[in-house]
C-alpha cells in the first residue's frame, strides 16, 4: 500500500510472508528444516523544496521474524533520515535503533543505537568528494565507530565516471570482547549509454 503526495507526507506499507517449502507434504518428502517468517516494512517521507535548498525527511520501520523448528529469530530496525541539499553541498543525518531477537545472542548487545553523519561536495563538473562518520552504542557503551571517505571523477569527452570509497570500521560485540577492525574499499565504474528513438510518421 502506497500513497504519493506533493503537499502531504507519502506513506508506504508492505507485508511479505515467506517460507522454504511450498506445501506441508514437502516437509515429509524432502529432508530439511522448514523456515516460516514474515517481513513488515513501513516508510514515511516528506520533502520541503525551496528556491535555494531542498530538505527531505524519511522515517523507516522494518520488522522481520523467522521460525525454524522451535528457534525464533528476527530483528526490528527503526531509523530517521534527514537530507539537506543546497547548491553543491549535500548534508545527511541518519539515526535509529537496531534490535536483534535471537536465542543464541546475549541480551547485552541485542539493542544498538546508531548515528550517521555524512557530507558531499561537488567541486566541479568532473570532481566530487564525500565523507562521513558512523557511531553505534549498546547497553555497555560504545560498540561501533566507522569513517567513510570517497571521491568521484567524470571524464569530459568520455561517458565514463569512476567512484571510489574507503571505509574504516572498528567494533566489538560484547563488553569484554576486544575491538576488531575492518578495512574496506570500493571502486565503481559507470558507462552511460545514449539512445535516440526514431519517430514514426
Amino acid at each position: 500500500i502506497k500513497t504519493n503526495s506533493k503537499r502531504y507526507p507519502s506513506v508506504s506499507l508492505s507485508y511479505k510472508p515467506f517460507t522454504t517449502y511450498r506445501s506441508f507434504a514437502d516437509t515429509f518428502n524432502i529432508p530439511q528444516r522448514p523456515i516460516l517468517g514474515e517481513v513488515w516494512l513501513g516508510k514515511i517521507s516528506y520533502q520541503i523544496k525551496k528556491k535555494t535548498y531542498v530538505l527531505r525527511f524519511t522515517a523507516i520501520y522494518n520488522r522481520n521474524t523467522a521460525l525454524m523448528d522451535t528457534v525464533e529469530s528476527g530483528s526490528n530496525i527503526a531509523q530517521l533520515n534527514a537530507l539537506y541539499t543546497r547548491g553543491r553541498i549535500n548534508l545527511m543525518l541518519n539515526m535509529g535503533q537496531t534490535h536483534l531477537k535471537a536465542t543464541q545472542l546475549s541480551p547485552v548487545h541485542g539493542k544498538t543505537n546508531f548515528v550517521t553523519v555524512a557530507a558531499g561536495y561537488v567541486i566541479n563538473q568532473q570532481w566530487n568528494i564525500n565523507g562521513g562518520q558512523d557511531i553505534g552504542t549498546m547497553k555497555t557503551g560504545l560498540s561501533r565507530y566507522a569513517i567513510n571517505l570517497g571521491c568521484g571523477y567524470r571524464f569530459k569527452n568520455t561517458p565514463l565516471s569512476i567512484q571510489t570509497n574507503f571505509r574504516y570500521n572498528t567494533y566489538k560485540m560484547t563488553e569484554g570482547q576486544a575491538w576488531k577492525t575492518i578495512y574496506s574499499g570500493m571502486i565503481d565504474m559507470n558507462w552511460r549509454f545514449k539512445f535516440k528513438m526514431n519517430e514514426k510518421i
Side-chain angles (χ1 to χ4, degrees):
I1 301 175
K2 185 177 181 181
T3 64
N4 290 318
S5 175
K6 294 182 178 180
R7 184 176 181 182
Y8 301 101
S10 299
V11 181
S12 65
L13 178 65
S14 65
Y15 171 72
K16 300 178 181 180
F18 64 89
T19 181
T20 55
Y21 57 89
R22 294 175 297 175
S23 65
F24 288 101
D26 290 344
T27 60
F28 299 101
N29 299 328
I30 304 174
Q32 63 176 330
R33 288 187 174 183
I35 301 177
L36 184 66
E38 60 183 11
V39 178
W40 286 91
L41 179 61
K43 180 179 178 181
I44 301 175
S45 60
Y46 183 68
Q47 176 177 282
I48 301 174
K49 191 174 183 179
K50 300 294 184 178
K51 292 183 178 180
T52 57
Y53 69 90
V54 177
L55 187 58
R56 300 180 180 90
F57 297 97
T58 305
I60 300 175
Y61 178 76
N62 180 279
R63 179 180 182 269
N64 68 84
T65 59
L67 179 64
M68 183 176 66
D69 292 340
T70 58
V71 180
E72 184 178 1
S73 62
S75 65
N76 296 340
I77 301 176
Q79 60 179 332
L80 177 64
N81 179 276
L83 179 62
Y84 175 80
T85 303
R86 187 185 184 97
R88 300 182 178 183
I89 301 175
N90 294 318
L91 301 176
M92 190 269 291
L93 174 63
N94 186 39
M95 61 180 63
Q97 183 183 82
T98 301
H99 184 198
L100 301 178
K101 297 181 292 182
T103 56
Q104 69 271 20
L105 294 178
S106 170
V108 174
H109 58 275
K111 290 184 179 181
T112 302
N113 301 314
F114 59 88
V115 177
T116 302
V117 179
Y121 181 72
V122 179
I123 301 174
N124 50 43
Q125 293 182 352
Q126 281 71 48
W127 288 97
N128 68 83
I129 57 175
N130 61 81
Q133 181 174 312
D134 185 11
I135 297 176
T137 60
M138 56 185 181
K139 188 177 181 180
T140 57
L142 187 66
S143 62
R144 184 176 75 249
Y145 180 81
I147 297 177
N148 300 302
L149 295 174
C151 67
Y153 179 76
R154 177 178 294 179
F155 291 85
K156 286 185 178 180
N157 301 322
T158 305
L160 175 66
S161 61
I162 300 176
Q163 185 75 32
T164 62
N165 284 285
F166 172 77
R167 179 177 175 85
Y168 167 80
N169 185 18
T170 178
Y171 69 96
K172 62 178 180 179
M173 296 298 295
T174 59
E175 183 178 5
Q177 188 182 42
W179 287 89
K180 297 182 179 181
T181 302
I182 297 178
Y183 297 92
S184 61
M186 182 271 292
I187 299 178
D188 184 28
M189 302 180 65
N190 292 309
W191 185 281
R192 301 184 307 276
F193 293 93
K194 292 183 179 180
F195 299 93
K196 185 178 181 179
M197 303 296 293
N198 295 325
E199 296 182 359
K200 294 182 179 181
I201 300 176

